[in-house]
Amino acid sequence: MRSTTVPHRVLVGTTLCCLSLPALAGKADDTLVYASDTEPENVSPYHNNVREGVILSHLAWDTLIYRNPQTNQYQPQLATEWHWVDPTTLDMTLRQGVTFQNGEPFDADDVVFTFNYAVSPDSKVVTRQNVDWIESVEKLGDFQVRFHLKQPFPAALEYLSGPTPVYPDQYFQKVGLAEFSRHPIGTGPYRITEVKPGEGVKLTRNPDYFADSPLGQPKIGNIEFKVIPDQDSRVAQLMTGQVDWIWRVPADQAEQMQGMPGITVASGETMRVGYISFDAANREASPLSKLEVRQAINYAINRQGMADNLVRGGSRPLYAPCFPAQFGCETQDVVQYAYDPDKARALLAEAGYPDGFEIDLYAYRERDYAEAMIGDLRNVGIRANLRFMTSAALLDQQRSGKTDMSFKTWGSYSVNDASAFTSVYFGGGADDLWQDPQVESWLETADTSTDPEVRRENYRQALARISQQAYWAPLFSYSTYYAYTSDLNFTPYPDELPRFTEASWK
């Protein structure tokens, strides 16, 4: 990570110029205001799949296990002990003396309810890939539970330390999902006090947060999440002290902001990967049904140019649907499609499209990135039309078979295992648009084997075939630029999870 605060210089060409810098109000009000362009369609962690929802989840809820981001060691959180009875049976001892933010005591009933609810067909969970390895959870005692797995799943502890928070069974069953999303309750270090769709979420420090939490006690009294769709508006509000923290700042803006007094800019590579998915695999009339066309698109995209000139800040080209640091991201046999427009044109001609064709490219974020891809595609004769919409709308369109190809991103819910990426999109689930039986077989073995070498070998074979068949066009890793008031102590992490519980005022 790189963090800089450098002397003032004049800014031009953006809304940053001509703004005065009053004293920032966050420290005075003990309220950290952070802003982003996207909001979760539902603040219930199991019912949204955007990064902003992940942030709120880690503020308001706890998980059974905590993974220390500096050591990657697992530590007790809501569970104090765990052991494997056999490869498909995991027993856990739960922490006593913890209460939910409404005073409801935490015990085994909450864990049993949460996970059995999450895996039930009627729960409407949108992050099912995070729990579909669980068959059921059984209560052994007031503070003892047993997880029954569908089959061996060596990444279980990783998932239980990440995208699997625990809900209060009595409260949730009393009020239902709709009311829970308006007035959510967890055990976490902050309590959500207000949810305003289209505007944001307010949180206040939980005074009864359990003392032995590995997160520690939060130092800032209040947190407010503001939805500000326009990038220039987010920057302007940071400059005028209405917002204390923003992220995903475009590289050119971030580099200009480094010269502003009272502002700190930090950047670094994250686990998030940008990609183009080819959604029309089963449509006979689509050009994307032809391997040569999919390969041509891979050759047409200037990954290195996008990483160097658009994303910047540590971004690098990627060629496989996984992040290099994840266990199982074995890319030694993955095809690395070089930027080669001439080869792309030749492949299009070979596929029967010497004059190219017209197609839609769907996207929900970074319009400028999508427009750069469209430029690369038009350079080889593919006339792509941008269809820009919200993340939720695009997911619905994609799962309904109404998209051609889509520019999307995936951050793996910060899970350091390829099952959280490759298997989500190629393991036969709802988002697997190709349903390749051979790939699915390799991934099932990789996801379930207790032998690390067997896992690696099967991920290697699956990733090789995915690239050879050009089922996707993986593009680049994301680097994230953060900009925040210099009054704030804040540490970015590569897993793209802002840990506001660690933040403090200077």
Side-chain angles (χ1 to χ4, degrees):
M1 289 293 174
R2 175 172 59 86
S3 180
T4 58
T5 304
V6 298
H8 172 71
R9 68 172 181 263
V10 177
L11 301 176
V12 295
T14 72
T15 57
L16 303 184
C17 63
C18 306
L19 289 174
S20 61
L21 289 174
L24 299 178
K27 183 175 181 179
D29 293 344
D30 197 19
T31 300
L32 169 59
V33 180
Y34 73 95
S36 189
D37 60 345
T38 304
E39 66 175 322
E41 61 269 30
N42 187 319
V43 299
S44 168
Y46 290 103
H47 297 89
N48 75 79
N49 66 348
V50 296
R51 179 58 48 164
E52 287 73 11
V54 175
I55 298 171
L56 291 171
S57 174
H58 282 261
L59 290 171
W61 287 271
D62 287 313
T63 50
L64 291 167
I65 300 171
Y66 174 76
R67 177 168 56 80
N68 187 306
Q70 296 176 331
T71 67
N72 283 328
Q73 297 298 308
Y74 297 119
Q75 299 174 217
Q77 193 164 21
L78 289 179
T80 56
E81 298 177 14
W82 51 87
H83 72 275
W84 289 98
V85 178
D86 57 50
T88 60
T89 309
L90 175 64
D91 282 2
M92 289 192 146
T93 301
L94 306 179
R95 189 180 298 276
Q96 301 186 35
V98 176
T99 59
F100 286 91
Q101 295 148 0
N102 62 349
E104 182 179 326
F106 163 75
D107 58 23
D109 291 330
D110 304 298
V111 178
V112 170
F113 166 76
T114 297
F115 290 98
N116 287 338
Y117 167 78
V119 300
S120 69
D122 300 328
S123 64
K124 300 180 181 179
V125 165
V126 300
T127 56
R128 192 167 299 280
Q129 68 272 10
N130 293 330
V131 294
D132 64 4
W133 48 276
I134 300 171
E135 179 67 40
S136 64
V137 181
E138 173 189 3
K139 179 179 178 180
L140 301 180
D142 289 344
F143 294 95
Q144 299 281 337
V145 296
R146 171 167 290 175
F147 280 77
H148 297 280
L149 281 58
K150 293 179 179 177
Q151 53 194 346
F153 188 63
L157 299 184
E158 180 69 17
Y159 280 79
L160 291 175
S161 70
T164 51
V166 177
Y167 285 0
D169 72 310
Q170 295 177 26
Y171 177 72
F172 190 98
Q173 293 184 84
K174 177 182 178 181
V175 303
L177 176 59
E179 179 64 15
F180 187 78
S181 68
R182 290 188 288 266
H183 298 98
I185 293 294
T187 62
Y190 286 90
R191 176 174 181 173
I192 295 175
T193 58
E194 186 176 39
V195 178
K196 285 190 174 182
E199 296 183 25
V201 178
K202 292 183 178 180
L203 308 94
T204 190
R205 182 167 47 204
N206 177 6
D208 300 317
Y209 190 53
F210 63 98
D212 293 333
S213 170
L215 292 176
Q217 301 303 301
K219 300 175 180 64
I220 294 177
N222 305 286
I223 296 179
E224 181 178 352
F225 164 53
K226 291 179 69 172
V227 181
I228 306 177
D230 180 68
Q231 170 63 32
D232 287 344
S233 296
R234 291 196 297 277
V235 172
Q237 291 199 31
L238 174 67
M239 303 289 292
T240 56
Q242 300 171 72
V243 166
D244 301 300
W245 183 98
I246 61 176
W247 68 344
R248 298 175 187 154
V249 181
D252 55 350
Q253 259 184 339
E255 289 168 1
Q256 290 183 332
M257 291 175 68
Q258 288 172 359
M260 298 302 296
I263 300 295
T264 298
V265 175
S267 72
E269 187 185 37
T270 73
M271 289 178 63
R272 183 165 298 277
V273 174
Y275 63 88
I276 296 175
S277 64
F278 302 133
D279 306 343
N282 299 316
R283 302 179 193 173
E284 292 298 326
S286 171
L288 296 174
S289 64
K290 297 189 175 183
L291 173 60
E292 295 85 355
V293 170
R294 302 193 301 272
Q295 291 173 328
I297 293 173
N298 269 278
Y299 284 115
I301 300 296
N302 187 352
R303 292 170 173 83
Q304 189 71 59
M306 295 190 70
D308 290 346
N309 301 315
L310 277 178
V311 191
R312 307 211 283 268
S315 173
R316 54 178 154 164
L318 296 177
Y319 303 91
C322 57
F323 183 71
Q326 289 178 312
F327 179 91
C329 191
E330 301 291 326
T331 60
Q332 53 267 47
D333 296 322
V334 164
V335 179
Q336 295 199 11
Y337 292 92
Y339 176 51
D340 192 338
D342 290 337
K343 190 165 187 175
R345 295 186 193 99
L347 283 165
L348 289 174
E350 183 180 335
Y353 299 98
D355 299 320
F357 54 86
E358 187 168 346
I359 198 168
D360 289 333
L361 174 66
Y362 289 76
Y364 72 98
R365 57 184 284 171
E366 284 98 25
R367 183 187 291 267
D368 54 338
Y369 295 7
E371 289 171 347
M373 296 169 204
I374 286 174
D376 284 346
L377 293 173
R378 290 188 175 176
N379 183 43
V380 301
I382 299 174
R383 299 173 295 281
N385 305 303
L386 181 59
R387 301 286 184 252
F388 204 80
M389 58 187 61
T390 67
S391 172
L394 176 49
L395 180 63
D396 181 66
Q397 290 281 92
Q398 202 174 30
R399 287 181 172 177
S400 300
K402 298 177 182 178
T403 55
D404 292 318
M405 57 183 185
S406 305
F407 163 50
K408 300 183 71 177
T409 76
W410 189 245
S412 301
Y413 286 89
S414 304
V415 173
N416 279 319
D417 193 276
S419 63
F421 198 144
T422 314
S423 302
V424 170
Y425 291 104
F426 296 97
D431 295 311
D432 180 358
L433 303 175
W434 287 93
Q435 304 287 323
D436 182 323
Q438 179 62 79
V439 172
E440 290 176 29
S441 176
W442 280 323
L443 291 178
E444 181 179 6
T445 301
D447 290 348
T448 59
S449 174
T450 57
D451 184 333
E453 293 309 313
V454 170
R455 298 192 71 206
R456 289 190 179 96
E457 173 61 17
N458 281 270
Y459 282 128
R460 181 194 64 77
Q461 294 181 87
L463 291 168
R465 178 168 171 80
I466 290 166
S467 69
Q468 291 159 5
Q469 293 297 311
Y471 289 147
W472 267 22
L475 300 172
F476 46 76
S477 63
Y478 269 76
S479 63
T480 292
Y481 280 91
Y482 306 85
Y484 48 93
T485 170
S486 295
D487 282 340
L488 184 68
N489 289 308
F490 172 76
T491 301
Y493 287 89
D495 63 6
E496 205 185 18
L497 177 61
R499 289 171 168 81
F500 293 128
T501 53
E502 295 181 1
S504 62
W505 302 116
K506 293 180 179 176

